[in-house]
Amino acid sequence: MDINSLLSPQDNNTPASSPSPRSSPAATRRTRSQTNITNPKASPLSQELDSSCSSKPFVPPPTPSPPINSPAYNLSQPTTNMRSASGSPRVNRPTSTTGMDTLADLASMQHHQRTARANSGVLKGGDIQEKQLSHTPVRPSLQAIARMHSGSRSSLDLRMTDAPAQTPPPRAFRSSSLPDTELEQIGQLTAFLAENPNAYESHARLIKILHKGLLYHVHSEPGLPGENDPRSYDLLQDLQQARNAMSSRFSLGEELWVEMLQDQQLLARTLEDCMGVIELYEKAITDEVASVKLWGMYGELMLLLYDSANPDDSAGRMGTNINQWIKWSEEDQIVAAEVFGKAQMLEVWMRGAEEVKFNLSDSHLVWDRYADLLIQGLGSCPSAEDVAALKSHFIERLQIPHATWDETFQKFSSFISTYDNAAYEEIMVSVNALAAGAKAQFGIREAFELKLLAAVGSGDKTSAWTLFSEYLDWEMSHHRKKKVFSFDLANALFQRAVLQFPSDANLWEDYLTFLSEESDHRQRPSSSLSLLGRACDHCPWSGTLWSRYIQAAERHDLPFADIGQIKHKATSTGLLDLSSMEDVLKIHTAWCSFLRRRAFAENATEEEPDVAEVGILSAIEDTESLGQQKYGKEYQGDPQYRLERIYIKFLDQGQKHDLARERWKKLVSRHGESYEFWLRYYWWEMITWGKVTGDRAYGSNSVPREATKVLQQAARRTKLDWPEKILDTYLIHCEDHENATEIQAATVHWRKATKALGKRREQEAMQAAAYAEQRRREHVAQAQVQNEQTNGSKRKRDSDDVVGASEVTKKSRMNGTDAGDGEQTQSVAPAALKRDRENTTVIVRNLPSDTNEKWVRHFFKDCGTINSLKIATDDGANSSTATLEFRSKEEALAAQTKDLKDFRGKPVEVQVGTGTTLYVTNFPASSDESYIRELFGKYGEIIDVRFPSLKYNTHRRFCYVQFKSPEDAQSACELDQKRVDGALQLVAKMSDPSHKDKRHGAMYESREIYANNVDWNATEQDIEDLFSKYGKVEKVRIPKNLSGKSKGTAFIIFSNKDDAQSALDLNNTKFKSRILAVSLSTANPAKRQAKTIINPRTSTSTSPPPHDRQNGITTATSSHSAASPMPTTTQPLTTTASKPTREEISSRTLALLNVPDTINDARIRALMSPHGALNKIVLRPDHQGAIVEFADVNDAGKAALAVEGLEIIPGRRLGVGSVREMLAMGPEMKEEGKAGVKEQKREKKESVLRPPPAVRRPGLGMPGPGRRGGLGKKVGGGGGVPATEPVKAGAGKNNADFKAMFVKGSGA
């Protein structure tokens, strides 16, 4: 047996568990949970508590579970009187062989642990794998519960000897108590856990599902004999095995303990089973000592057993035992009367009341019950001693802050009036004075308690975590302030926090730091050792906690065997394999430092240096092996070479200076570029030289030659990170210690090297200045692009050849946009890309399912600025995936260093999202995110679908589809050039910001002519006849206004560029009654609105839009810009020839509010057209809205009622109001890079879902802002109100008005 492997079991893959040496642990607890005790409340918090309490005893609803027979529950205090793996007593050896005893003990355990470690897996990725293996269900039988007794082995023995339990074997699970979908999930979870036994969330999920089946089995309607007996549950053994597997790796926590203990009560059948349940309660309260729920359940169980065992003294409470199936024999009844006596029952309540007494919100749930039992026990003739004792009990309680202080005081008042009425007034006045401080303490904390109570009661983990953080920060900010700070209250708050969030390692560290600081200040021992044991059980992946545990064990003078087993448990379970190398190194550093100190302690034996050397060398080999395994050849060891420094110190203390020097030389290959390394090496040589020479060197010519050699070697390095520091040290050293020859050589080398460095630094400065100038120019160019560019995308694609000439109108080109527009025009000088999502995005997998944005931002805060963040829950898995976009590519690469780091108890996978995004365009204009997801979803999981903002360009039609993996994205490219909706040819290509396609289409190929000042009566055929003499004309379009009349402009597309150029000869020529202005079409860099005329009016009057020029809308087009696509109808809507009045147009016009700037006019049309015929839609993303004119006022009323409050995209609900209200809204502001806590809190206060704005209906006859009126309203015009709708000018409509119009219209 290799002694190295014994002290470092990781090489042999040997799992083992050892508990923390524990005394009575410091109280820890969870925040308020649902209970069944009530009292009248006076304070606001008391009133809150009253709503969640009842008058029943503290017994949560019964839930069954199997008996447990696992060593993981043996949480007793470790001892040094251990047994071997075979169970035989260990032979006592002399004290001088303690270290070798430990090696022998570890050797005896090796055989038992090798197999288990080989079978244990390491969680590498997601928490679910879909695997199923066939297996026949096994009917379980009730097993005896293992209990500790005076001769039992300690928990250290058991956890070291027995390997972690395994989960149920994968198979096809069958049960009538669970649906097929959940049985399938059980199969998937067991298959996954068979390969990844350290997946915490999967363990918990498996137990939850199996427990759910047991609940249904026990509480279902009885039909067959024995159907409700929990022991007949066909997955009982699997539930037991799943709990054993989890508890042998992790602490269960309060919630799982509660479920298991309730199950045990249902499964108990004999007196021995009842005693076993009691022992499990003892283990539970040892693990979660501050849990009000566990103490309450324990006390109620003892009370029930006391009543059942002592029917003559039950005061009428006798009726049932702990379950309906238990039957005690006469012998059991006699024994039970002795075991479950009144004293034992009251002792449990007393212990519980003492442990949780400083829990401000929940402690009354245990204390009140205990006080009631004490009062009940007084009887009619109590002794003076009993009355005095209970009086003191009340007075002590009233001096402790708690939420139900008024109720306690009232109960005390009743007690005094009954048993000491003569001194009532004196006692009450004095007690009230004594309790003034307690009431004041609670008063300054009541606001926090109220918020915390609401958050915990709602089940909002995120809010609870935030409130606990704020509450603890407040407590620490008032540290040691008189009349404010209370150690007991702060300690209890930490207990509640770690009980609520037991897997938060940072929270445990804060708690430990608080206790340590208080212990030093008060100069009294703390319970940090037991607390560290519990912290490591809850967070076994935290190297910081394990290292502090080893150090605390050394401070408490624990035996070497126990400290060794703590280290062994930390490194052998495989959980640290999921953590970073930093966590592993912290544990080994603490362990090796302990070995070194122990080897040279005053009472050290001769063999202890040998044990220390073996342990240190083994730790160095283990960490090197694990680093190579995790990172391959890229692993370059610990940058701080902590273990090697410990070993060098060990050799130095052992007077083995030559061996220590060899270790320094071996480190040069890895750390030779660090000036700090060379300085450490140099100073070690100097210290060693001083030790070796000693008094002999005093006054002699002894020279530190080895130190000089170190500096000479360092000075010759060409890639040092700070060579100036080494050169100066070298010169000063030679001047202080060397002869004239060495001084001259050092001076020459220093001179030459300094000049070379000066040139190098000058060159670096010039390069840095050039780079800074380049970046400055890029920023300037980028700013220009943002001001001039028609869009902010990274791609330039024209939609003319994609959508088709029949669909594309030239109005879009007048405004510089098309459906696939994603880049700046050719007229803009090349500049740096504004955003490079493909190279700045990282994907984070295997996050806990309840992960929120704040946690993720905090985790990556040191990597850079996060522009955007999205979190999605993985389908079929109890985990989440986050997509983060950083500001730069370098920051995204920095985020990759978080790969496999611990995130709230789970290792996460971080990878750059390069190659996972598709650029998609030429899909139907009305497509939304669900359409895109349905179209591409068959190729893999879609993380995100991003539509462009239309704020500066309303005719952009493209999106980015990001997949979970590059393979899925590549597969989805097969949709490229496929037909969708029968006519459109889809474009789906890999997104590549470095690739820029040239814009194409008639306008960009100089084949399109723009003609202005065209005769109003000219037709498209007239225009074609005029221009066809210059070449083949492909298409002519004359834009129309809302009345169906020509706007006096025309667009003519030729088949080639030369013909278009020739047609410019028509410029300034007369055509019919006007002089034409003819030129080539060009792009207009702004299109901030989209007007879609659906049913042109046949009347001769125009319908002026409701906007003034300041809002960016003009009805006449005077510039020769390309036009946007605008659907028109060939046959105008048949209406009366009379001109519509302003009021008529206004009454049938709606303004949609809170419209996201990614919604186009086609989406608005698809949304509104089902409610009636439309005349016109004007999209205004610059005002977060759209104007919709219906053909009929009744249809407008129906639409207003239907779409108000409609969630058009997740989190955005539409509002309906007037055009004036819509124009008063500014553009949508999207903040990026929100990394601060203040912004997060502000966003949280505002709400996750953006509420719809206040709604006011369009007014009739109300003038609009500026010079123009409402939609279809003339400036200063008159016009009467229709006789059928006698509404006063200026009056607005509400929902009732629209409903009335709708009903009236329907009746007509």
Side-chain angles (χ1 to χ4, degrees):
M1 178 60 66
D2 182 10
I3 197 171
N4 294 343
S5 64
L6 294 177
L7 282 181
S8 274
Q10 280 186 335
D11 279 346
N12 292 308
N13 295 333
T14 309
S17 302
S18 68
S20 337
R22 300 184 184 180
S23 56
S24 179
T28 61
R29 66 169 308 281
R30 187 170 294 186
T31 53
R32 175 177 178 80
S33 54
Q34 294 182 354
T35 57
N36 295 324
I37 300 179
T38 185
N39 279 310
K41 311 297 189 292
S43 67
L45 178 59
S46 301
Q47 296 171 4
E48 287 285 336
L49 293 170
D50 183 54
S51 63
S52 62
C53 300
S54 68
S55 59
K56 297 181 180 180
F58 192 122
V59 180
T63 53
S65 124
I68 301 299
N69 186 11
S70 170
Y73 298 117
N74 296 319
L75 307 177
S76 63
Q77 172 74 19
T79 65
T80 58
N81 183 21
M82 303 176 63
R83 294 173 179 253
S84 66
S86 63
S88 60
R90 182 189 303 159
V91 178
N92 292 329
R93 298 186 178 91
T95 306
S96 62
T97 61
T98 305
M100 291 306 174
D101 284 350
T102 302
L103 300 182
D105 294 338
L106 292 172
S108 68
M109 302 168 189
Q110 190 76 9
H111 173 72
H112 294 274
Q113 297 169 341
R114 183 181 294 112
T115 304
R117 178 62 187 259
N119 293 333
S120 68
V122 176
L123 180 60
K124 297 294 184 185
D127 216 24
I128 290 293
Q129 303 253 348
E130 296 186 2
K131 296 181 180 178
Q132 289 186 352
L133 298 176
S134 177
H135 194 278
T136 304
V138 179
R139 184 73 63 175
S141 62
L142 184 65
Q143 300 182 10
I145 303 173
R147 298 190 295 274
M148 295 294 296
H149 52 82
S150 59
S152 298
R153 291 176 294 165
S154 73
S155 58
L156 284 174
D157 285 303
L158 290 170
R159 289 195 174 188
M160 288 290 294
T161 303
D162 300 316
Q166 299 302 310
T167 54
R171 66 179 190 276
F173 290 83
R174 295 181 179 88
S175 174
S176 59
S177 302
L178 287 170
D180 293 339
T181 54
E182 293 188 340
L183 290 172
E184 183 179 353
Q185 289 184 38
I186 294 175
Q188 295 172 356
L189 288 165
T190 53
F192 177 73
L193 288 169
E195 298 179 0
N196 305 277
N198 294 324
Y200 180 90
E201 294 292 339
S202 292
H203 279 288
R205 177 62 178 159
L206 176 61
I207 293 173
K208 288 289 184 184
I209 297 176
L210 291 171
H211 177 68
K212 178 181 177 182
L214 182 55
L215 284 177
Y216 181 82
H217 172 81
V218 172
H219 298 292
S220 61
E221 290 295 328
L224 300 175
E227 180 180 354
N228 283 7
D229 187 344
R231 294 186 300 173
S232 64
Y233 176 45
D234 42 15
L235 297 180
L236 181 62
Q237 183 174 351
D238 296 302
L239 177 57
Q240 171 187 345
Q241 193 171 353
R243 279 184 171 142
N244 289 344
M246 183 173 185
S247 62
S248 63
R249 294 173 174 85
F250 309 96
S251 284
L252 289 179
E254 182 189 52
E255 184 178 0
L256 292 178
W257 267 118
V258 167
E259 292 178 357
M260 188 186 70
L261 291 167
Q262 292 171 343
D263 294 350
Q264 289 299 118
Q265 292 180 216
L266 286 176
L267 288 163
R269 295 295 181 269
T270 65
L271 178 61
E272 183 182 4
D273 295 339
C274 294
M275 296 176 67
V277 175
I278 297 299
E279 291 178 3
L280 281 179
Y281 267 106
E282 287 293 332
K283 296 176 178 62
I285 60 174
T286 301
D287 217 22
E288 308 295 345
V289 68
S291 171
V292 173
K293 182 181 289 187
L294 287 175
W295 278 111
M297 290 173 56
Y298 190 11
E300 294 294 343
L301 173 67
M302 290 297 296
L303 181 58
L304 189 59
L305 290 173
Y306 165 70
D307 290 344
S308 300
N310 303 273
D312 297 335
D313 192 32
S314 62
R317 292 188 301 267
M318 181 62 183
T320 61
N321 209 309
I322 63 175
N323 64 55
Q324 59 182 317
W325 297 280
I326 195 167
K327 302 296 181 184
W328 284 349
S329 65
E330 293 183 4
E331 182 181 356
D332 287 345
Q333 191 74 34
I334 295 173
V335 176
E338 298 178 359
V339 175
F340 304 125
K342 186 174 184 179
Q344 290 86 345
M345 180 268 294
L346 290 176
E347 180 187 2
V348 171
W349 283 108
M350 179 190 68
R351 290 166 55 200
E354 182 66 23
E355 291 291 353
V356 303
K357 65 181 180 181
F358 291 106
N359 185 324
L360 290 179
S361 63
D362 291 344
S363 59
H364 67 283
L365 299 173
V366 176
W367 191 93
D368 288 352
R369 187 70 165 152
Y370 178 39
D372 291 341
L373 292 172
L374 291 177
I375 293 174
Q376 183 180 351
L378 290 177
S380 58
C381 298
S383 65
E385 293 79 5
D386 292 340
V387 172
L390 188 51
K391 176 182 175 183
S392 299
H393 185 64
F394 268 108
I395 295 175
E396 179 186 359
R397 175 63 174 168
L398 288 169
Q399 295 182 73
I400 297 175
H402 58 283
T404 59
W405 190 94
D406 291 334
E407 289 71 39
T408 306
F409 189 76
Q410 183 63 39
K411 185 178 294 188
F412 178 59
S413 174
S414 300
F415 170 78
I416 293 298
S417 63
T418 301
Y419 296 102
D420 197 2
N421 191 46
Y424 176 84
E425 185 175 351
E426 179 183 355
I427 294 173
M428 299 306 291
V429 171
S430 63
V431 170
N432 196 37
L434 287 173
K439 291 191 290 185
Q441 290 276 14
F442 180 78
I444 60 179
R445 292 170 173 82
E446 186 171 13
F448 283 111
E449 292 292 335
L450 280 169
K451 295 177 183 178
L452 198 56
L453 176 65
V456 174
S458 67
D460 187 348
K461 287 282 188 180
T462 302
S463 297
W465 186 84
T466 302
L467 287 170
F468 267 120
S469 299
E470 294 176 354
Y471 198 172
L472 287 168
D473 289 344
W474 180 87
E475 286 283 4
M476 296 302 100
S477 67
H478 293 81
H479 200 190
R480 302 197 187 105
K481 289 185 179 179
K482 291 183 178 180
K483 298 183 180 181
V484 177
F485 175 75
S486 167
F487 169 78
D488 293 318
L489 296 181
N491 183 57
L493 182 60
F494 269 113
Q495 293 169 357
R496 295 162 63 187
V498 297
L499 190 65
Q500 185 78 9
F501 302 99
S503 60
D504 191 331
N506 290 326
L507 190 57
W508 285 103
E509 291 176 30
D510 291 341
Y511 188 12
L512 290 162
T513 301
F514 166 72
L515 288 182
S516 299
E517 186 178 5
E518 282 297 309
S519 176
D520 295 340
H521 175 70
R522 295 167 178 252
Q523 296 183 351
R524 66 181 185 185
S526 67
S527 56
S528 60
L529 185 62
S530 59
L531 186 65
L532 274 163
R534 295 176 52 239
C536 291
D537 286 343
H538 283 292
C539 305
W541 49 81
S542 173
T544 301
L545 291 175
W546 281 112
S547 62
R548 293 183 68 167
Y549 193 8
I550 293 172
Q551 294 163 2
E554 182 183 1
R555 290 196 307 271
H556 285 75
D557 295 324
L558 262 64
F560 175 72
D562 288 353
I563 300 177
Q565 290 172 16
I566 293 172
K567 181 263 180 185
H568 184 73
K569 178 185 175 183
T571 58
S572 62
T573 58
L575 288 171
L576 272 181
D577 294 348
L578 312 179
S579 305
S580 64
M581 284 301 299
E582 181 66 20
D583 288 303
V584 178
L585 285 166
K586 285 179 179 178
I587 294 176
H588 284 290
T589 299
W591 169 247
C592 293
S593 296
F594 161 67
L595 291 178
R596 181 190 61 78
R597 288 189 293 269
R598 180 175 175 273
F600 297 100
E602 293 181 0
N603 57 349
T605 63
E606 293 182 356
E607 70 173 17
E608 284 170 350
D610 296 333
V611 173
E613 185 169 18
V614 169
I616 295 172
L617 289 174
S618 178
I620 293 174
E621 294 172 3
D622 286 343
T623 53
E624 180 68 23
S625 176
L626 182 60
Q628 295 290 345
Q629 177 185 344
K630 290 171 72 74
Y631 304 108
K633 295 181 179 179
E634 296 180 358
Y635 181 69
Q636 295 298 315
D638 176 17
Q640 301 298 321
Y641 44 94
R642 282 163 282 192
L643 299 182
E644 289 84 354
R645 282 159 44 199
I646 292 172
Y647 185 46
I648 291 172
K649 178 69 174 178
F650 170 81
L651 295 173
D652 198 26
Q653 287 182 279
Q655 304 299 314
K656 300 177 181 179
H657 304 301
D658 292 336
L659 292 177
R661 184 173 291 111
E662 292 300 319
R663 299 299 297 191
W664 277 111
K665 292 179 179 179
K666 288 182 180 180
L667 293 172
V668 171
S669 60
R670 281 188 172 178
H671 308 284
E673 309 304 330
S674 169
Y675 84 95
E676 291 182 340
F677 166 77
W678 289 108
L679 290 181
R680 282 198 180 110
Y681 188 4
Y682 162 70
W683 284 115
W684 178 85
E685 287 287 4
M686 291 298 294
I687 293 171
T688 303
W689 169 71
K691 290 179 180 178
V692 172
T693 56
D695 293 336
R696 295 184 295 102
Y698 185 79
S700 67
N701 293 324
S702 176
V703 176
R705 294 293 184 187
E706 294 295 335
T708 305
K709 292 179 182 178
V710 169
L711 290 176
Q712 288 174 342
Q713 185 179 359
R716 288 193 294 267
R717 308 287 292 197
T718 59
K719 297 181 179 180
L720 275 176
D721 49 3
W722 192 6
E724 291 89 344
K725 182 68 174 179
I726 296 297
L727 289 172
D728 291 343
T729 303
Y730 176 36
L731 183 59
I732 293 172
H733 168 81
C734 290
E735 291 174 346
D736 290 345
H737 300 284
E738 288 292 348
N739 55 37
T741 302
E742 287 295 337
I743 294 174
Q744 180 180 359
T747 303
V748 171
H749 181 82
W750 180 89
R751 180 71 176 176
K752 293 173 63 178
T754 301
K755 291 185 66 176
L757 278 173
K759 293 180 179 179
R760 193 174 99 186
R761 299 299 187 209
E762 182 179 356
Q763 186 177 7
E764 290 173 351
M766 294 175 61
Q767 292 175 349
Y771 177 76
E773 178 63 20
Q774 179 184 357
R775 293 290 296 172
R776 186 190 68 79
R777 292 178 180 178
E778 289 176 354
H779 286 307
V780 171
Q782 185 174 354
Q784 293 175 351
V785 170
Q786 292 175 350
N787 293 331
E788 301 173 3
Q789 194 174 347
T790 61
N791 55 69
S793 178
K794 298 179 283 293
R795 233 166 244 88
K796 298 179 170 48
R797 290 188 176 93
D798 187 11
S799 62
D800 286 352
D801 63 328
V802 181
V803 178
S806 62
E807 288 191 15
V808 180
T809 62
K810 297 303 168 282
K811 187 175 179 181
S812 62
R813 297 191 180 92
M814 291 178 62
N815 295 276
T817 61
D818 61 14
D821 191 9
E823 291 184 341
Q824 62 192 39
T825 63
Q826 293 178 343
S827 61
V828 181
L833 296 175
K834 187 170 68 174
R835 294 176 78 167
D836 185 8
R837 287 190 176 94
E838 284 68 32
N839 292 316
T840 60
T841 299
V842 297
I843 301 175
V844 187
R845 298 187 177 90
N846 198 40
L847 293 166
S849 57
D850 60 346
T851 298
N852 59 54
E853 182 176 335
K854 181 177 180 179
W855 294 350
V856 177
R857 288 186 180 275
H858 180 76
F859 186 70
F860 288 97
K861 67 179 181 179
D862 55 343
C863 299
T865 301
I866 299 176
N867 281 344
S868 65
L869 168 61
K870 289 191 176 183
I871 302 175
T873 302
D874 299 337
D875 295 334
N878 196 15
S879 60
S880 300
T881 298
T883 305
L884 294 81
E885 181 198 348
F886 285 89
R887 184 170 54 186
S888 66
K889 182 177 180 180
E890 291 73 21
E891 293 177 351
L893 294 176
Q896 279 192 290
T897 61
K898 301 286 188 178
D899 188 34
L900 297 180
K901 292 290 183 67
D902 172 70
F903 181 91
R904 305 189 70 81
K906 295 184 68 175
V908 295
E909 294 182 2
V910 182
Q911 68 178 38
V912 176
T914 304
T916 60
T917 305
L918 293 186
Y919 170 83
V920 181
T921 189
N922 209 37
F923 43 79
S926 59
S927 300
D928 56 8
E929 182 174 342
S930 60
Y931 176 89
I932 298 297
R933 286 185 177 273
E934 182 178 357
L935 184 64
F936 288 91
K938 60 185 177 181
Y939 296 101
E941 183 177 348
I942 296 175
I943 294 178
D944 190 19
V945 176
R946 300 192 303 271
F947 285 89
S949 171
L950 307 181
K951 185 162 47 176
Y952 302 109
N953 184 352
T954 56
H955 290 285
R956 302 167 80 187
R957 194 200 314 162
F958 63 90
C959 70
Y960 294 99
V961 182
Q962 185 173 13
F963 287 86
K964 193 171 184 178
S965 69
E967 294 77 15
D968 294 341
Q970 192 64 45
S971 300
C973 287
E974 71 178 39
L975 286 179
D976 188 41
Q977 304 304 315
K978 295 294 178 67
R979 293 281 178 180
V980 291
D981 283 6
L984 300 177
Q985 194 171 23
L986 189 71
V987 174
K989 300 181 181 296
M990 296 298 296
S991 179
D992 183 4
S994 63
H995 175 69
K996 296 183 179 181
D997 291 340
K998 291 183 177 181
R999 300 290 295 271
H1000 45 269
M1003 182 185 67
Y1004 299 103
E1005 296 168 4
S1006 300
R1007 296 189 294 109
E1008 183 179 84
I1009 293 295
Y1010 170 74
N1012 193 18
N1013 203 32
V1014 178
D1015 188 274
W1016 302 108
N1017 297 317
T1019 65
E1020 292 178 350
Q1021 187 61 48
D1022 294 337
I1023 300 296
E1024 183 175 354
D1025 293 340
L1026 175 65
F1027 282 88
S1028 60
K1029 60 185 178 181
Y1030 294 98
K1032 183 179 178 180
V1033 175
E1034 291 185 349
K1035 185 179 179 181
V1036 175
R1037 189 181 70 82
I1038 298 177
K1040 305 292 179 62
N1041 59 20
L1042 190 59
S1043 300
K1045 298 295 184 178
S1046 169
K1047 288 187 175 182
T1049 60
F1051 293 91
I1052 305 96
I1053 298 178
F1054 285 89
S1055 59
N1056 61 69
K1057 176 181 178 180
D1058 295 335
D1059 294 343
Q1061 192 68 33
S1062 300
L1064 295 179
D1065 293 341
L1066 289 175
N1067 186 37
N1068 292 325
T1069 61
K1070 186 174 182 180
F1071 173 63
K1072 293 196 173 183
S1073 62
R1074 293 187 168 224
I1075 303 298
L1076 292 176
V1078 180
S1079 62
L1080 291 174
S1081 292
T1082 59
N1084 188 359
K1087 179 61 182 176
R1088 301 197 177 196
Q1089 67 165 353
K1091 182 186 295 183
T1092 304
I1093 299 176
I1094 302 166
N1095 289 324
R1097 305 192 191 106
T1098 58
S1099 63
T1100 58
S1101 66
T1102 60
S1103 177
H1107 321 292
D1108 57 14
R1109 294 180 181 85
Q1110 294 177 355
N1111 291 320
I1113 299 180
T1114 55
T1115 56
T1117 305
S1118 59
S1119 62
H1120 53 288
S1121 302
S1124 63
M1126 183 178 67
T1128 59
T1129 57
T1130 57
Q1131 295 296 329
L1133 183 68
T1134 302
T1135 62
T1136 62
S1138 61
K1139 182 175 70 173
T1141 65
R1142 295 189 302 267
E1143 289 76 13
E1144 289 177 328
I1145 296 174
S1146 177
S1147 66
R1148 61 179 185 239
T1149 300
L1150 304 177
L1152 298 182
L1153 311 179
N1154 201 32
V1155 178
D1157 64 8
T1158 58
I1159 302 297
N1160 60 15
D1161 53 350
R1163 292 275 303 278
I1164 298 295
R1165 182 176 180 179
L1167 177 67
M1168 305 300 290
S1169 58
H1171 303 291
L1174 304 176
N1175 281 349
K1176 182 172 67 173
I1177 295 175
V1178 179
L1179 182 67
R1180 293 301 304 264
D1182 54 338
H1183 293 285
Q1184 302 183 63
I1187 304 169
V1188 183
E1189 181 187 336
F1190 282 84
D1192 185 80
V1193 65
N1194 295 322
D1195 295 338
K1198 289 191 299 181
L1201 296 174
V1203 303
E1204 184 176 0
L1206 178 69
E1207 191 173 45
I1208 191 168
I1209 63 171
R1212 294 292 292 272
R1213 297 185 182 275
L1214 293 178
V1216 179
S1218 67
V1219 175
R1220 176 182 295 179
E1221 289 175 316
M1222 186 270 292
L1223 294 176
M1225 298 179 65
E1228 183 176 349
M1229 303 301 295
K1230 298 180 180 179
E1231 298 182 13
E1232 296 180 349
K1234 295 185 300 181
V1237 176
K1238 293 183 179 179
E1239 290 84 356
Q1240 304 263 342
K1241 292 181 179 177
R1242 187 184 308 119
E1243 181 181 356
K1244 187 171 187 65
K1245 290 180 180 178
E1246 291 176 354
S1247 170
V1248 177
L1249 299 180
R1250 181 172 179 174
V1255 175
R1256 289 185 296 166
R1257 301 301 176 192
L1260 296 180
M1262 292 291 291
R1267 296 177 56 193
R1268 294 188 179 270
L1271 184 63
K1273 180 178 177 65
K1274 288 185 178 181
V1275 179
V1281 180
T1284 57
E1285 292 291 339
V1287 181
K1288 294 181 179 180
K1293 289 188 179 67
N1294 54 27
N1295 277 333
D1297 297 328
F1298 281 110
K1299 185 175 181 180
M1301 289 189 297
F1302 170 62
V1303 173
K1304 184 175 181 179
S1306 300

